[in-house]
């Protein structure tokens, strides 16, 4: 099966845009791309004329709750926070993603083809997240998984202490309490590691299975990062403190006040999943929210992905978040990278998605105009060479 | 005298006005806080006037949001700054948004940055009758001095919100039937109160005791202000119309998420609709059919349409983005401008003061560096009452003599 998209301006993200270009797709993968004048289209190819349009990789959102959140389904689908214990590393978003959720159709309509969907921030440690494609129709979650687990969710700041401390009168009640719980959990995992090793030498001493500690050990072995919800600058610094104490891989989720500690983050080349920014400052820890933050954090040396945090910004408005970040100073190529290749790298799936390079999945979007024009629409959206959305 | 010269002026003036709707290389004269003349390049500029060069820019009326909670739902504060819903009784008609507005809300400055100069602020939708709305300008430190018009509407709400707030306390209303019954009963009670007031005009001994709640609703019955009814779902929209016709009152539909499903009814009855927030998710059952196409469908059918942010649901400064996305989904550029200016002013009852660039109107205008609805456009300069309140440098930069600054 050979597909040729002809005549568009192709923006591969990994390299410079090519005008009047052709994209060749074979068996769900990018085969080649280049100027139409130089790239021959085999006779057997199905040709789509995209003259005057823009072709970009499918968008990637590194932090969303697509398929997990209640939204218009109400309590029946409120599966984002296992709020029964502040430490639930054993839970897996994989077990809750509902493929019929309307947010998947919205993702496709907005040109989002890959996303990391994650437990919420109600718990200090919230559980495993995963990276999936958005072509859900007629599929099981296993069919669309790109990487699972792709990270362990943790959270600092207001949410955890509000839910447990304020509402339930339980620990954690303060920022100190939240950090202490996370720290204790990792030391417990290290103890568990020691006992496992003893158990290997002497099977009689084998400790009981602890699913949560097994997951935390995977974080400690850097098989997946800890992805830490932190808005306020002091919470961000606490996140780094914890990660460095245990020498684990991490990303900062939201990072609303990150500009206040931009050099601290930049000197570490920190991965920042920034957003949601198209919304109001609903709590004190989000007071620094501004679209200029993307440019400032990137300039400081952070690896910035722009996120919707769907449903907090609806997943179909990921492009809007990048465009407004561009309006506030982020160069266009960086803003596009922040919703494609950078999140693919952050999610550990850049070998498959995030840019249009030969050998990568043929996940791409034909936009009616430059995607930073507000009248531009994702006219046709492809995942692995298959049309998954066509605008009316 | 202040002159804005050289830009493409989109006046939003109605057909039949002395002023055309589009003037290229236009000239606009401001004096005493008012627009005194609008014309083409030939319009003479008085000697000694301060001149703002708007060459290459687009000049529009200050944008108006007909449905906002700015100032009563404060930015960055959480619970402490949330004063939009007096959810102690499903009818709090006596509450006034004015008494909850904090001019220090940082959202006002951002609203101006986004070209929004006037807003209608109202209570939220937690109560069936929420209280009095008013129109204010986004500039000032004393709420009373920001007021453009008091009592621009009485807020009401149908659908999920009131029945969730009270139903969860096992109080009425717990259903949509209950919502309607509370609203109907309130209107009927106020009608009785009105009758007693009118009877007292002839025999003062029959004067009823002052009842602020009833007095407020009587204003609606007298058609001094409309009932502005929060309604997302089509059936809620039709309930609002049913009750309005029963009591012969004026209404507007607020949000109107499923308005496209009852467009013929809305058009036939001439009901104005404040549409939004549409650049938002499907956060509850009654908004599951949310889309940015609703405004275009209604406008094409001849419905009077304003676009709204419902700040803080969409922050106030992004009204222009709501316009852009609606354009993408079928609203014409011309109707999008009207939905953020003239229509919003007319629906709020303040068209005599704002909403178009015509002589005699308040000099509230925005100089944009491009198409106002584009992502990458910015406000270069914003005037309210003839004073530069915001410009590209980020602070008011024009001295009282009009000299200096980046404009």
């Amino acid at each position: 099966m050979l597909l040729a998209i002809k005549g568009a301006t192709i923006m591969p993200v990994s390299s410079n845009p090519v005008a009047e270009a052709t994209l060749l797709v074979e068996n769900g993968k990018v085969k080649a791309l280049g100027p139409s004048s130089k790239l021959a289209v085999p006779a057997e190819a199905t040709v789509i004329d995209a003259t005057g349009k823009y072709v970009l990789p499918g968008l990637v959102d590194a932090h969303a709750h697509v398929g997990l959140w209640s939204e218009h389904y109400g309590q029946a689908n409120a599966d984002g926070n296992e709020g029964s214990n502040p430490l639930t590393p054993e839970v897996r978003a994989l077990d809750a993603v509902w493929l019929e959720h309307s947010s998947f159709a919205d993702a496709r309509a907005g040109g989002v083809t890959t996303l990391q969907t994650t437990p919420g921030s109600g718990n200090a440690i919230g559980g495993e997240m995963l990276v999936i494609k958005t072509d859900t129709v007629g599929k099981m979650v296993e069919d669309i998984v790109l990487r699972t687990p792709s990270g362990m969710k943790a959270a600092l700041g207001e949410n955890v202490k509000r839910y447990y401390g304020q509402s339930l009168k339980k620990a954690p009640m303060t920022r100190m309490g939240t950090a202490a719980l996370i720290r204790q959990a990792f030391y417990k995992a290290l103890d568990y590691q020691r006992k496992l090793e003893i158990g290997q030498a002497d099977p009689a001493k084998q400790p009981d299975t602890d699913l949560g500690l097994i997951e935390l050990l995977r974080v400690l072995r850097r098989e997946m990062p800890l992805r830490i919800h932190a808005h306020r600058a002091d919470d961000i610094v606490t996140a780094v403190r914890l990660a460095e104490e245990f020498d684990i891989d991490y990303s900062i989720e939201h990072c609303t006040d990150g500009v206040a500690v931009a050099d601290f983050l930049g000197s570490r080349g920190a991965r920042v999943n920034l957003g949601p920014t198209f919304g109001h400052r609903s709590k004190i820890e989000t007071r620094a929210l501004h679209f200029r933050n993307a440019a400032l954090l990137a300039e400081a040396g952070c690896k910035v992905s722009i996120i919707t945090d769907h449903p907090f910004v609806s997943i179909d408005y990921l492009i809007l978040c990048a465009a407004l970040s561009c309006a506030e100073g982020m160069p266009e190529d960086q803003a596009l990278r922040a919703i494609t290749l950078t999140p693919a790298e952050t999610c550990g799936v850049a070998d498959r998605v995030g840019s249009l390079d030969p050998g990568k999945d043929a996940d791409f979007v034909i936009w009616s105009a430059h995607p930073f024009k507000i009248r531009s629409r994702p006219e046709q959206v492809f995942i692995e060479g298959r049309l998954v959305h066509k605008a009316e | 005298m202040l002159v804005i010269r050289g830009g493409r002026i989109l006046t939003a003036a109605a057909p039949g006005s002395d002023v055309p709707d589009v003037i290229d290389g236009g000239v606009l004269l401001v004096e005493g806080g008012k627009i005194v003349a609008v014309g083409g390049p030939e319009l003479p500029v008085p000697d000694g006037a301060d001149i703002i060069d708007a060459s290459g820019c687009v000049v529009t009326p200050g944008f108006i949001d007909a449905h906002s909670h700015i100032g009563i739902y404060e930015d960055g504060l959480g619970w402490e700054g949330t004063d939009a819903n007096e959810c102690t009784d499903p009818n709090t008609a006596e509450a006034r948004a004015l008494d909850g507005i904090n001019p220090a809300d940082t959202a006002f400055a951002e609203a101006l940055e986004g070209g929004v100069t006037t807003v209608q602020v109202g209570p939220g939708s937690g109560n069936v009758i929420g209280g009095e709305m008013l129109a204010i300008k986004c500039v000032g430190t004393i709420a009373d001095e920001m007021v453009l018009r008091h009592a621009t509407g009485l807020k009401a709400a149908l659908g999920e919100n009131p029945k969730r707030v009270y139903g969860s306390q096992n109080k009425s209303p717990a259903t949509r039937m209950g919502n309607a019954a509370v609203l109907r009963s309130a209107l009927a009670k106020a009608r009785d109160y009105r009758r007693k007031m009118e009877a007292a005009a002839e025999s003062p001994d029959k004067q009823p005791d002052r009842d602020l709640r009833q007095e407020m609703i009587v204003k609606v019955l007298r058609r001094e202000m409309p009932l502005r009814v929060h309604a997302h779902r089509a059936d809620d929209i039709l309930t609002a119309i049913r009750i309005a016709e029963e009591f012969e009152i004026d209404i507007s539909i607020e949000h109107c998420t499923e308005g496209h499903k009852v467009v013929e009814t809305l058009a036939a009855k001439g009901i104005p609709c404040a549409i939004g927030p549409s650049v938002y998710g499907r956060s509850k059952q009654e908004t599951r059919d949310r889309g940015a196409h609703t405004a275009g469908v209604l406008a094409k059918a001849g419905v009077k349409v304003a676009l709204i942010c419902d700040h803080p649901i969409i922050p106030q400064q992004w009204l222009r983005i709501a316009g852009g996305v609606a354009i993408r989904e079928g609203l014409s550029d011309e109707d999008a401008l009207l939905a953020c200016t003239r229509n919003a002013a007319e629906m709020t009852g303040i068209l005599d003061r704002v909403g178009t660039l015509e002589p005699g109107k308040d000099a509230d205008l925005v100089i944009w560096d491009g198409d106002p609805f584009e992502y990458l456009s910015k406000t270069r300069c914003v005037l309210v009452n003839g004073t530069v309140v915001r410009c590209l440098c980020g602070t008011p930069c024009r001295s009282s003599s009009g000299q200096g600054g980046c404009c």
Side-chain angles (χ1 to χ4, degrees), chain B residues 90-372:
Chain B
N91 176 3
T92 56
E94 69 278 15
R96 299 178 188 185
L98 174 68
D99 297 321
I101 291 173
N102 182 0
D105 184 351
T106 50
F108 283 113
E110 289 192 330
L112 292 170
E113 251 180 77
V116 177
T117 55
T118 293
V119 287
Q120 178 171 233
V121 179
S125 52
N127 291 345
V128 175
I129 299 182
E132 188 192 74
M133 306 168 80
L134 77 165
I136 58 171
K137 299 223 177 162
C138 292
V139 178
T141 50
I142 293 167
D144 307 72
E145 295 174 0
M146 299 161 77
V147 175
L148 188 50
R149 189 182 157 199
H150 289 286
T152 53
L154 180 63
K155 180 68 182 289
L158 299 172
E160 290 179 28
N161 290 4
K163 75 167 189 152
R164 186 182 60 245
V165 169
Y166 292 96
S168 65
Q169 304 170 39
N170 289 322
K171 288 181 186 166
S172 175
T175 62
R176 282 182 157 81
M177 298 182 290
N179 287 342
V182 168
L183 181 54
R184 232 182 229 110
S185 303
L187 287 162
K189 188 170 181 190
R191 192 165 56 189
D192 291 340
Y193 186 79
R194 178 187 183 181
R195 188 165 38 75
K196 290 173 196 166
M197 283 168 76
E198 284 166 0
E202 287 160 22
S203 44
D205 57 315
K206 291 183 179 165
Q207 181 71 36
D209 288 347
R210 291 288 302 270
D211 185 328
L212 297 180
R213 180 176 298 181
Q214 308 313 327
E215 286 176 20
M216 193 71 81
I217 302 172
V218 166
K219 288 185 189 177
V220 172
L221 292 168
R222 286 183 173 148
R223 307 180 92 138
E224 291 167 15
M225 65 177 168
L227 195 68
R228 302 196 184 274
V229 189
H230 164 113
H232 285 285
R233 241 169 52 175
D235 56 338
D236 292 326
I237 293 170
L238 296 177
T239 299
I241 295 171
R242 185 181 311 126
I243 293 173
E245 291 184 344
E246 213 171 301
F247 288 90
E248 295 182 320
I249 58 175
D250 297 321
I251 59 166
S252 62
I253 301 295
E254 307 292 310
H255 306 303
C256 203
T257 302
E258 289 189 353
H260 51 277
K261 294 181 178 174
V262 289
V263 58
E264 293 85 1
T265 304
L266 291 167
K269 295 179 185 295
I271 294 169
C273 296
I275 298 176
S278 48
V279 191
Y280 198 68
R282 307 172 199 282
S283 56
K284 44 187 178 173
Q285 195 277 337
E286 65 186 8
T287 63
R288 76 173 174 189
D289 283 331
R290 170 136 52 211
H293 60 296
T294 307
V297 172
L298 266 56
K300 275 195 190 112
V303 177
K304 180 88 57 195
V305 163
L307 286 169
I308 63 170
C309 283
D310 194 18
H311 175 95
I313 307 302
I314 299 176
Q316 194 60 70
Q317 73 265 33
W318 304 123
L319 182 57
R320 65 186 194 86
I321 297 296
V325 175
I327 291 169
R328 189 186 75 196
E329 301 301 328
L331 187 67
S332 71
D333 285 46
E334 296 74 20
D335 282 338
L337 181 69
L338 296 182
C340 300
T341 57
R342 189 177 87 212
N343 288 0
E346 190 179 341
M347 286 164 59
T348 309
I350 51 178
L351 187 56
D352 57 323
R353 292 277 303 277
V354 296
T356 67
L357 298 178
E358 292 175 283
K361 292 274 178 95
D362 293 6
D364 295 359
L365 59 91
V366 184
I367 303 173
W368 308 84
D369 66 1
D371 175 355

Side-chain angles (χ1 to χ4, degrees), chain A residues 59-68 97 103-104 106-108 112-118 129-134 144-147 150 308 310 315 318 343 347 349 353:
Chain A
L59 306 182
V60 182
D61 191 336
H63 182 126
H65 305 290
V66 168
L68 293 173
V97 177
S103 50
F104 283 106
D106 285 337
R108 295 190 293 270
V112 179
T113 54
T114 294
L115 50 84
Q116 182 162 243
T117 194
T118 165
M129 57 189 79
L130 73 161
V131 180
I132 51 178
K133 299 275 184 95
T134 59
I144 57 169
V145 167
L146 262 183
R147 184 184 176 202
S150 57
T308 62
H310 177 94
I315 187 75
L318 181 58
C347 293
V349 293
V353 301

Side-chain angles (χ1 to χ4, degrees), chain A residues 88-100:
Chain A
T88 57
E90 68 279 11
V91 308
R92 302 176 187 186
L94 177 72
D95 295 322
V97 177
W98 184 40
L99 301 198
E100 288 175 45

Side-chain angles (χ1 to χ4, degrees), chain A residues 71-72 102 106 278-282 284 287 291 314 317 320 323-324 327-328 371-377, chain B residues 75-76 78 110 279 281-285 288 312 315 318 321 324-325 328-329 333 371 373-376 378:
Chain A
E71 302 178 55
H72 57 95
S102 60
D106 285 337
F278 191 76
H280 71 119
R281 302 175 180 96
S282 57
I284 287 173
R287 284 171 100 157
F291 274 109
S314 190
Y317 291 113
L320 176 152
L324 291 176
E328 292 296 335
F372 285 176
K373 292 284 185 187
I374 203 164
R375 291 162 180 80
S376 177
R377 308 178 79 195
Chain B
D75 208 45
E110 289 192 330
V279 191
R282 307 172 199 282
S283 56
K284 44 187 178 173
Q285 195 277 337
R288 76 173 174 189
W318 304 123
I321 297 296
V325 175
R328 189 186 75 196
E329 301 301 328
D333 285 46
D371 175 355
F373 298 112
E374 268 300 343
Y375 291 130
L376 303 187
K378 280 199 156 57

